[in-house]
Amino acid sequence: MTLLPIDIAGGVVVYWLVLGMFSLLLIGSPKHITQLIFPAGALGALVLAGTGLVALGQTPNVAVLPLGLPDLPFHLRLDALSAFFLMLLGAAGFAISLYSAGYFRHMEARALALLALQYHFFLASMALVLLANDAYLFMVAWESMALSSYFLVTTDHKVPEIRKAGYLYLLIAHVGAISILLAFGVMQGGHGIAAYTFDAMRTAHLTPFWASITFSLALFGFGAKAGLLPVHVWLPEAHPAAPSPVSAMMSGIMLKTAIYGLLRITFDFLGGEIWWWGVLALTLGLITALFGVMFAAVQTDMKRLLAYSSIENIGILLVGIGLAILFHANGKESLAALALTATLYHALNHAFFKSLLFLGTGSVLHATGERNLGRLGGLIRRMPWVAALVLVGTLAIAGLPPLNGFVSEWLLLQAFLLTPDLPQPYLNMLIPVATAAIALAAALAAYVMVKFYGIVFLGQPRDEKLNEAHDAGWWERLGLAWLALGCILLGLFPVQVILQLDHVTQALIGDTLGMSAAKTGWLFLTPIAPERASYSPLFFLLAILVVLLITFLAVRRFYHGRLRRGPAWDCGFPEQTPRMQDSAEGFGQPIRQIFEPFFLIEREVPSPFDREPRYHGRSEDKLWYGLYLPIAKAADKLSAWISILQHGRIHLYLMYSFVTLLLMLVLVRWS
Amino acid sequence: MSAQLSGILFQLFQSLLVVAIAPLLLGWVNQCRAWLQNRSGAGVLQPYRTLRKLFHKDAVIAHNASPLFRVTPYILFSCMWLAAGVVPVLATDLPFSPAADVIALVGIFALARVFIALAAMDIGTSFGTLGARREMLVAFLAEPALLMVFFTASLISHSTQLPTIVEALAHTQFTLYPSMAFAAIAFVMILLAENARIPVDNPTTHLELTMIHEAMILEYSARHLALIEWASSIKLLAYTTIGFALFVPYGIAEAGNWAALPLALIALGVKLVAAGAGLALLETISAKMRIFRAPEFLGTAFLLAVLGMLIHFLLGA
């Protein structure tokens, strides 16, 4: 018997579960948990990443486990789509586990053992979500993923805000899960329990009406997990509450499982055949992207800033999915392949750079104990390793060539430029506006990232205690370096990456990009034709480096390299204090002013005569007050009405049961 | 093989030419401005003298400057040089042009901008961060507008490669594109904003509170400042030649066609003289606006560019 990729992937899942439970045995020696369990988990992730990479090009593997319901045992399947996301999970999870080995070393023993248990359960359940081939296993894995991540978010459960954030997360996760369950229910269509397998759903042909219902339910359900507007509110609360490696895992990997689910249902089960689904996804994605980046620009907490940036990136992914559906529904398969490739590429990129940035904030948090941007600054001099590696992530997420963020944005913009071929009237008019919005979001992302990096790592320290900050340890550096290397390699070798992504687009859409992308050799990325568009990051980087070297040597050769250090000039103003630098609020002020209608701004400005002037400003989400609180109030009211039934007297309850029974009998009699 | 070699030679010639004449364009604009303001001016060669002076001085940097601060001028210079190498200034079909299309070109400018903004925040002075914030503000409005201008051109030519755009617009039958007229107005506005010209920014200002670009480089001196100044002049030239490629793409030779080179050089010279004079005129007749009027100015540019794209869809031209 040969070992199939699915056996290895399943083996890794079991291995993680065992590791998690094993950490409970090591409760007495926290050092072993960090030094043994986490690196061992990282090894599993690496194996999984390799398995995913190998399985991308292979025919789908299936397996049926002797577990589960009597008539519905657990079905597993490893096809190209699962393989791609497993690779993403493994590659990012590897770095996060390595980082965790260093990060959690000062944690209290009991909490650490529990955390290690939840952490590995979380990893295993995410892998199982990607492997599941029936609705029951999928939901079981999905729920364990939600629960284990909930416990991880509330690691510091003694802080009331964190408990609140965790509750909100759990609530929205379950609203989403119900919606996903309903989507499966519609696809099953009352055809018995065997119809809950994904194989049956693939062959079930729904009418356009029911297919649209399924799509909408799936979009809402997976959107709630991904942070799509308007079910995004948990994201900026839960990410800062969680320990940084957990934030990295949730943002870098867990959000992608939602993208996986949406792709699975839309393309694999429903065939993605109705064009207005694309418009819906595109519009929602654009709104989400712009909203996310706008709010990221005004944040003062570095992890909240990154959380809003994740919302933006999810928006961009959804835009890509929307375009892919639009092209696919119109029979333009090669263009759909382009849009889908851009989406998958961006998902992979986001897993790398967002994990990198969240882990970077973890190191800053460890070194300074501070999450507030207003009390950071100047850390590039104290933490050169973290600063240099995070700089890579910053440039990548800002969408700058020659790093990876640029490649996926470039592909997406190319896809936009091809929309004039669409047959739907008026859609052509809508697309330029959408292109403009995506360009605006991308440009704003650069603003946000300059703010993030500039305020945390550059300038003068805004607090005395920052002068004692220390650089991250070797485990942490290793994890960060792996992710930074990923950002660079994914940026420099797009053709090779796309050739791997082709297996996924082939499976979902039946067309690929790689054949034309690689036509002019591996050096140049030409998605459609070389005279249409081409880009070569390697060439690009080499040219910059060569010119840089020539300039440097020429300046040294013809002039001199003399350098003196002196106090900062600042136009001759001698009294420089760190408080004169821009604060986080200050840097976000132009955005707040330009996009004022979108924020709920609360500001406290001191009068000119204040002895101790204090400025206080908050920019809040209008949706929270406009949508969530009314819903919460309505729910409260409804439960108050229902509590009329509740008296605490047993004979009344017996009567309720009796009346219900009677009604049932009448119903049965009539039907 | 010889065609390839010839192409590479052409590329080298163009790149060196662009770097060499960039300060001259700046000198010409300043000279025209002086004439328009009834001054005699310092001569078109003044930027070269300034560069020479700066290169000879000893560099002074702040005690707390990080390596990022020191490497940024070189990165800036390389990015601008690279950008100027991609634009078909003298010839289409350069060996280097497949490395980057117009979107990547916008990316190069963004890369340079992010580095200079980060360097400005590195020392931690009040003016440095102020400049960085304003620069990023101008950028996030100008960048999408620039992309929209490029997209209008690429919808007409079905390509995002500048050489193909030039060939589609110049070497086919002469047609007037109403969409390109909108794009041209938007492009001029973006050029003014991105190159720190009046009315968005004033390159000759000494008033720190109104500065944008100058505020970011206050802490630089000597060779670092020289490289930044030089890079800015290359950026101006690159933007101007991008404008030529999009809106007046006449006289641009094909790579390796050495016979067409004199004509291309003359055409470039004439266009640059006219564009420099026009830029000086624009700067003289307009006043610098308050920083919070800049978003309106750039918003107009953005809307004009989007309108250009919409008109392309409406009229198919």
Side-chain angles (χ1 to χ4, degrees), chain A residues 381 531-532 534 562 570 582, chain B residues 58 64 98 133 159-160 219:
Chain A
R381 287 169 273 281
E531 54 288 352
R532 167 110 213 173
S534 82
R562 288 196 296 273
D570 200 33
D582 264 18
Chain B
D58 279 14
N64 63 348
R133 160 163 43 100
S159 169
T160 56
E219 294 300 322

Side-chain angles (χ1 to χ4, degrees), chain A residues 47 57 126 187 195 316 327 339 350 396 429 439 461 469 525 551 556 577 584:
Chain A
V47 171
M126 283 195 289
M187 279 189 289
I316 291 177
F327 285 129
H350 186 244
M429 306 278 137
L525 173 62
T551 319
R556 284 292 154 100
T577 71

Side-chain angles (χ1 to χ4, degrees), chain A residues 303-357:
Chain A
K303 288 179 83 179
R304 277 178 82 93
L305 182 144
L306 292 180
Y308 275 111
S309 155
S310 289
I311 296 182
E312 179 222 342
N313 280 287
I314 286 296
I316 291 177
L317 288 175
L318 215 72
V319 167
I321 295 178
L323 272 186
I325 299 175
L326 255 179
F327 285 129
H328 181 61
N330 283 306
K332 300 196 180 306
E333 305 301 354
S334 60
L335 303 186
L338 172 62
L340 192 63
T341 305
T343 312
L344 294 171
Y345 210 132
H346 197 71
L348 193 58
N349 290 341
H350 186 244
F352 274 89
F353 52 59
K354 192 48 71 64
S355 307
L356 174 56
L357 293 178

Side-chain angles (χ1 to χ4, degrees), chain A residues 596-612:
Chain A
E596 203 177 354
F598 298 98
F599 300 111
L600 195 74
I601 299 172
E602 174 194 313
R603 214 171 356 195
E604 216 177 281
V605 185
S607 87
F609 307 105
D610 264 350
R611 284 256 154 206
E612 282 184 346

Side-chain angles (χ1 to χ4, degrees), chain A residues 224-408:
Chain A
K225 197 59 156 190
L228 198 66
L229 229 62
V231 266
H232 64 284
V233 283
W234 64 271
L235 220 142
E237 304 300 327
H239 280 66
S244 292
V246 176
S247 320
M249 207 146 61
M250 286 174 66
S251 190
I253 308 172
M254 190 187 75
L255 301 187
K256 309 301 171 324
T257 60
I259 297 296
Y260 161 82
L262 194 60
L263 285 175
R264 174 69 75 198
I265 289 193
T266 312
F267 287 102
D268 198 8
F269 298 170
L270 301 175
E273 274 156 6
I274 296 176
W275 66 270
W276 65 260
W277 297 356
V279 179
L280 184 68
L282 186 72
T283 319
L284 270 177
L286 278 178
I287 296 172
T288 307
L290 279 177
F291 173 92
V293 74
M294 235 184 271
F295 272 79
V298 299
Q299 294 310 312
T300 54
D301 176 320
M302 58 178 175
K303 288 179 83 179
R304 277 178 82 93
L305 182 144
L306 292 180
Y308 275 111
S309 155
S310 289
I311 296 182
E312 179 222 342
N313 280 287
I314 286 296
I316 291 177
L317 288 175
L318 215 72
V319 167
I321 295 178
L323 272 186
I325 299 175
L326 255 179
F327 285 129
H328 181 61
N330 283 306
K332 300 196 180 306
E333 305 301 354
S334 60
L335 303 186
L338 172 62
L340 192 63
T341 305
T343 312
L344 294 171
Y345 210 132
H346 197 71
L348 193 58
N349 290 341
H350 186 244
F352 274 89
F353 52 59
K354 192 48 71 64
S355 307
L356 174 56
L357 293 178
F358 263 121
L359 295 182
T361 62
S363 294
V364 170
L365 194 61
H366 248 203
T368 65
E370 196 58 68
R371 250 171 39 200
N372 187 342
L373 288 168
R375 304 222 182 90
L376 291 166
L379 290 174
I380 193 170
R381 287 169 273 281
R382 292 270 142 210
M383 313 175 71
W385 274 92
V386 175
L389 294 170
V390 169
L391 181 64
V392 175
T394 308
L395 297 177
I397 197 171
L400 297 175
L403 293 170
N404 60 349
F406 180 75
V407 181
S408 46

Side-chain angles (χ1 to χ4, degrees), chain A residues 381 410 414 432 458-460 531-534 536 540 547 560 562 564-566 569-571 580-582 586, chain B residues 56-59 61-65 81 98-99 101 118 121-122 124 127 133 159-161 164 208 219 223 313:
Chain A
R381 287 169 273 281
W410 189 80
Q414 292 292 349
L458 303 176
Q460 306 177 50
E531 54 288 352
R532 167 110 213 173
S534 82
S536 170
F540 193 101
V547 175
H560 55 85
R562 288 196 296 273
R564 277 188 290 131
R565 294 256 179 188
W569 182 53
D570 200 33
C571 299
M580 290 178 188
Q581 306 171 86
D582 264 18
Chain B
H56 276 293
K57 290 198 165 195
D58 279 14
I61 62 171
H63 286 302
N64 63 348
W81 199 348
D101 66 345
L118 288 178
M121 295 179 81
D122 185 47
F127 290 127
R133 160 163 43 100
S159 169
T160 56
Q161 296 295 115
T164 320
E208 295 89 351
E219 294 300 322
R223 59 174 182 274
F313 282 116

Side-chain angles (χ1 to χ4, degrees), chain B residues 47-92:
Chain B
Y48 292 103
R49 293 185 204 115
T50 313
L51 287 181
R52 202 172 133 246
K53 178 190 78 181
L54 286 174
F55 272 123
H56 276 293
K57 290 198 165 195
D58 279 14
V60 185
I61 62 171
H63 286 302
N64 63 348
S66 71
L68 183 72
F69 184 81
R70 294 179 63 178
V71 78
T72 295
Y74 295 97
I75 292 180
L76 203 62
F77 190 76
S78 322
C79 283
M80 290 311 157
W81 199 348
L82 186 65
V86 175
V87 181
V89 177
L90 288 174
T92 62

Side-chain angles (χ1 to χ4, degrees), chain A residues 566-595:
Chain A
W569 182 53
D570 200 33
C571 299
F573 188 65
E575 311 265 330
Q576 271 295 309
T577 71
R579 288 192 50 143
M580 290 178 188
Q581 306 171 86
D582 264 18
S583 58
E585 288 96 343
F587 209 91
Q589 185 259 359
I591 306 292
R592 210 167 49 220
Q593 182 151 349
I594 293 173
F595 299 106

